[in-house]
Amino acid sequence: MTISIRTRLLVLMLAAALPAVAIMLLTGRELEENVVSRAEGTALQQVQSMAAHHERIVENARLLLATLAKTSEIRSLDPKGSQELLADIQQRNPVYVTLALADARGRILARAPDHALPEEGAELATSACFKSALAKGEFVTGDYAYLKNARRVVISFVQPLADGPAGPRGVLLAAFDLHHFGSLFQGAGMPAGSVLTLTDAKGTRLTRFPETEKYTWVPDLPRMLERMTGQAEEGTFSETGVDGVLRLYAFKRLHFSGAPFPYLMIRLGVPVDEALAQARGVVRRNLALLGLAAVLFMASAWALGEVAVVRKLKGLVAAATRLGAGELEARTGLTGGEDEIGRLGQALDAMAQALERREQERDAYENEVCHLNEFLEDRVEKRTKELALANKELTATLERLNQAQQQLIQSEKMASLGGLVAGVAHEINTPVGIGVTAASHLEDKTKAMLEEFRAGALKRASLEEFLGVCDESTHMILANLRRAAELIRSFKQVAVDRSTEERRVFLLRSYFEQVLLSLRPHLKKTAIVVELACDDKVEIDSYPGVWSQILTNLVLNALQHAYEPGQAGRIKITATLEPERLRFIFADDGKGIAPENLNLIFEPFFTTYRQKGGTGLGLSIVYNLVTQTMGGTIHVASELGQGTVFSIMVPLAKA
C-alpha cells in the first residue's frame, strides 16, 4: 500500500508531538515529586520548629522556677506575697496555665491563676514528680497528665526550694498545657486538612489539632507508631490517617533529660491531594493545550503539503526522469522558489548545465591534482625536518631548564643549611663564652690561693671561699658545656640527615624537637610560640632529612610571611599516626594568604617577598618532597586574618 507524502507528514507531526506529551507527563511527574518533596521538607521544618519550641519551654521552665526559688517571698513560704508574685509571673508567661507554691507536705500555699482547677494540685502530695523533686533536690519534669474536667493534657515541672533542717522546705510547680501547640499550628499557615498530633512513648495520642476533644488521650494508630518508633529520630512518610485521608507526615522524637518518659513524638500531616492539586491542574492544562495545538498543526500540514510540497515534487520527478533518459535540456521550472524544494529544483537545473562542462574540465583537474600532490609531498618533507629540528632544540632547552631548576633548589637547600649553621654557631657562642669566663675566673682564684698557700698565709675562711668559687664555677662550666654539646649533637644529626636524605627508623617527636632546637636562633628573635603535639612513642620508618627540610621551610615561611615584625603568635605542629599513614598538621594564627595567591604558593619562584630577598622555592621544595620523595599529599587552607593550615598525609612503610 502506497502512503502519500501528506499522510506521512501528518504521521510525522503526530510523532513529533508524542515526545512532547511524554516530556510533559514526565515533567508533571517530576513536578509532583518536587511538590511532595517541598511539602515533606516544609512539614519537617514545622515539626522541628515545634519540637524546638517544646524544648525551649522545658528549659525556660527550669530557669523560671530556679529564679523564683531564690526570691524572698518564695523562700519564706509567704502565701500572700507568693500569690502576688506568681500571679504577675503567670500573666507575663501565659504558656504556663498554672504556677503554684506548696510546702513539703504538698499543701498548696499559693497558685496563679487563683481560679485554677482543683485537679492541678489536689493530688500533689502523692504525685511522682513531687516525691522525686523532694528526694533528688533538683528540677524534675513530670509525666503528661489528662485533666478530665478540663479535657486537656498538661505536663508539670517541679523545682524544690532550698533545704531546711529536714530537707527541701517546699516546691514550685509550673504546668504547661499542650493546647498551646494549637495556636502554633494555626499560625503556621499549613494547607487545609493538615493535622498536628502529639503522642507519648506508650502510644497514647496526647492531643490532636484540629478536632482536639475527639482525639485527646486515646490510643494512636499502630501503623503510625510503627513509622515513628524506628531507628531514625525524625523523618517523613505517607500514611492514611484516622479520618481516612492520605497525608504526607513529618515526625520527630523529643528526649527530655530526667523526664519519667523516654520520649515524646510530634508529627505533622499535610493532605497529599491538597499538596498536589496545583501541580496536577498544571499538567492537565498543558496536555489540553498540547492536544489543541496538535490538531491545528495537522490541519495546517495537510493544506500546506498539497501546495508547498506535492505539486513541486511532481515537477522534480518529471525533470529527473528526463535527465535520466539523457535529455540534458530538461528543466524543472522551479526557478523562483526560495524554499528547500525550490532550491532543490534550481540545483537540479544547474547540475544539468554543468554535466558537459565538468566532463571537459575533468582532465585538467586531474593534471593539476597530480602537480599539487608532488608539491605537497615536498612541503610535508621539509616541514617534518623543520619540526624535528625544533623539537630537538626544545628538548635540549627543557633539559637545561630542569637542570637549572634543580641547581636552584639545591642551592636553596644549602643556603637554608648555611643559615642553620650560622644560627647554631651564634647560639653555641653564648654557653661557650660563659664557660670561658667561668674558667678564667676560677684560674684567677686558683692562682691567688696558691700564692697564699706558698706564703703560709692560707686561712680557713679563704679556703672555704675558694672551694665555693670552685663549686659554682665548675657547675657553671659543666652546665654550659652540656648545653653546647646538646646544640652540637642536635645540629649534627639534623645536618647529616639534611645532606644525605637516607631512610631510617626514628622517634618522630624527639627528632622534631631537635629540628626546633636548631631553629631556636630564628625563633628567639620573635614573639612566636611553637607548640608540638606528638606522642613520645611514635616511631616511623621514613626520611628524617626530608622531614627536617619540610619542618624548617614551613617554620621559616611562617616567620617571614604570616607575622609582622614583633607580632606575637602561635604555631601548632600536630603529628598523628594513623593506619599505614602519618597525618602532619602545621597551623599558624597569622594574617593568612590572599585568595588569589592560594593556588600559586607551591609554584616554583612564586613569592610576594621578592623585594625582601624571597626566592619562592621554600614551599615548592616542600611540595616536591611530600609528593615525589615520600609519595604523599599536601593541602593548604587559609583565610585572611584567620591564619593558615598545611595538611600533609604521608604513607608509611609496612612492618
Side-chain angles (χ1 to χ4, degrees), residues 451-497:
E451 290 177 358
E452 291 184 9
F453 176 76
R454 290 169 180 170
L458 181 62
K459 299 179 180 179
R460 180 183 181 89
S462 300
L463 181 59
E464 290 179 353
E465 179 184 0
F466 173 72
L467 292 176
V469 170
C470 290
D471 182 65
E472 180 181 358
S473 299
T474 53
H475 277 83
M476 185 180 299
I477 293 171
L478 182 59
N480 283 276
L481 288 179
R482 285 176 176 172
R483 181 183 175 191
E486 181 182 358
L487 288 171
I488 293 172
R489 183 171 58 255
S490 299
F491 168 71
K492 178 181 178 182
Q493 183 62 60
V494 172
V496 169
D497 289 335

Side-chain angles (χ1 to χ4, degrees), residues 302-324:
W302 181 272
L304 186 62
E306 176 64 26
V307 177
V309 179
V310 175
R311 295 178 183 176
K312 294 182 178 180
L313 288 179
K314 289 180 179 179
L316 287 174
V317 171
T321 302
R322 295 175 62 190
L323 288 174

Side-chain angles (χ1 to χ4, degrees), residues 243-551:
D243 53 1
V245 177
L246 178 63
R247 293 184 175 90
L248 302 173
Y249 287 96
F251 75 92
K252 182 175 179 65
R253 293 201 298 268
L254 288 181
H255 301 267
F256 303 109
S257 177
F261 50 88
Y263 53 79
L264 169 69
M265 294 177 284
I266 301 178
R267 75 172 181 268
L268 177 66
V270 180
V272 174
D273 291 338
E274 184 70 22
L276 297 179
Q278 183 178 1
R280 291 173 176 172
V282 171
V283 174
R284 287 193 294 268
R285 181 197 63 193
N286 291 344
L287 287 175
L289 293 176
L290 181 61
L292 179 60
V295 172
L296 294 177
F297 287 156
M298 286 189 290
S300 300
W302 181 272
L304 186 62
E306 176 64 26
V307 177
V309 179
V310 175
R311 295 178 183 176
K312 294 182 178 180
L313 288 179
K314 289 180 179 179
L316 287 174
V317 171
T321 302
R322 295 175 62 190
L323 288 174
E327 299 181 17
L328 298 180
E329 70 278 3
R331 298 293 182 268
T332 62
L334 303 176
T335 58
E338 295 297 332
D339 56 2
E340 287 78 2
I341 297 178
R343 289 197 294 271
L344 178 60
Q346 296 171 16
L348 190 60
D349 294 341
M351 179 186 67
Q353 295 175 2
L355 283 176
E356 185 177 1
R357 185 176 65 253
R358 294 289 178 84
E359 185 68 21
Q360 296 174 354
E361 294 175 352
R362 184 180 59 182
D363 294 339
Y365 287 156
E366 290 179 354
N367 295 333
E368 186 176 356
V369 167
C370 292
H371 176 71
L372 288 175
N373 285 339
E374 295 176 358
F375 177 72
L376 286 175
E377 290 176 359
D378 295 339
R379 291 284 303 274
V380 168
E381 183 179 358
K382 181 179 180 182
R383 292 295 295 172
T384 301
K385 293 180 180 179
E386 293 176 353
L387 288 174
L389 180 61
N391 187 37
K392 183 178 180 180
E393 294 177 353
L394 181 59
T395 302
T397 303
L398 288 175
E399 291 179 356
R400 290 194 297 271
L401 287 175
N402 287 332
Q403 293 175 359
Q405 182 176 349
Q406 294 300 323
Q407 291 174 359
L408 284 174
I409 292 175
Q410 190 64 27
S411 299
E412 179 70 13
K413 291 183 180 179
M414 297 309 296
S416 175
L417 186 60
L420 182 64
V421 171
V424 171
H426 178 76
E427 189 72 11
I428 293 175
N429 186 54
T430 299
V432 171
I434 295 174
V436 171
T437 302
S440 176
H441 179 65
L442 180 61
E443 182 183 15
D444 293 339
K445 287 294 184 179
T446 302
K447 289 180 180 179
M449 179 58 63
L450 285 174
E451 290 177 358
E452 291 184 9
F453 176 76
R454 290 169 180 170
L458 181 62
K459 299 179 180 179
R460 180 183 181 89
S462 300
L463 181 59
E464 290 179 353
E465 179 184 0
F466 173 72
L467 292 176
V469 170
C470 290
D471 182 65
E472 180 181 358
S473 299
T474 53
H475 277 83
M476 185 180 299
I477 293 171
L478 182 59
N480 283 276
L481 288 179
R482 285 176 176 172
R483 181 183 175 191
E486 181 182 358
L487 288 171
I488 293 172
R489 183 171 58 255
S490 299
F491 168 71
K492 178 181 178 182
Q493 183 62 60
V494 172
V496 169
D497 289 335
R498 290 272 287 273
S499 61
T500 60
E501 293 189 359
E502 293 182 354
R503 188 175 193 128
R504 63 182 174 87
V505 177
F506 61 96
L507 290 172
L508 189 61
R509 181 183 180 92
S510 175
Y511 190 75
F512 279 176
E513 289 175 347
Q514 292 181 7
V515 176
L516 293 176
L517 182 62
S518 67
L519 293 173
R520 183 179 176 184
H522 298 279
L523 292 170
K524 72 178 185 178
K525 298 177 183 178
T526 69
I528 308 302
V529 177
V530 178
E531 178 182 343
L532 179 59
C534 179
D535 193 343
D536 295 340
K537 300 179 181 179
V538 173
E539 186 178 63
I540 63 173
D541 181 4
S542 187
Y543 302 91
V546 172
W547 281 110
S548 171
Q549 185 73 53
I550 291 173
L551 184 56

Side-chain angles (χ1 to χ4, degrees), residues 158-174:
V158 181
Q159 170 67 44
L161 302 182
D163 290 349
R169 301 175 58 250
V171 298
L172 278 170
L173 179 140

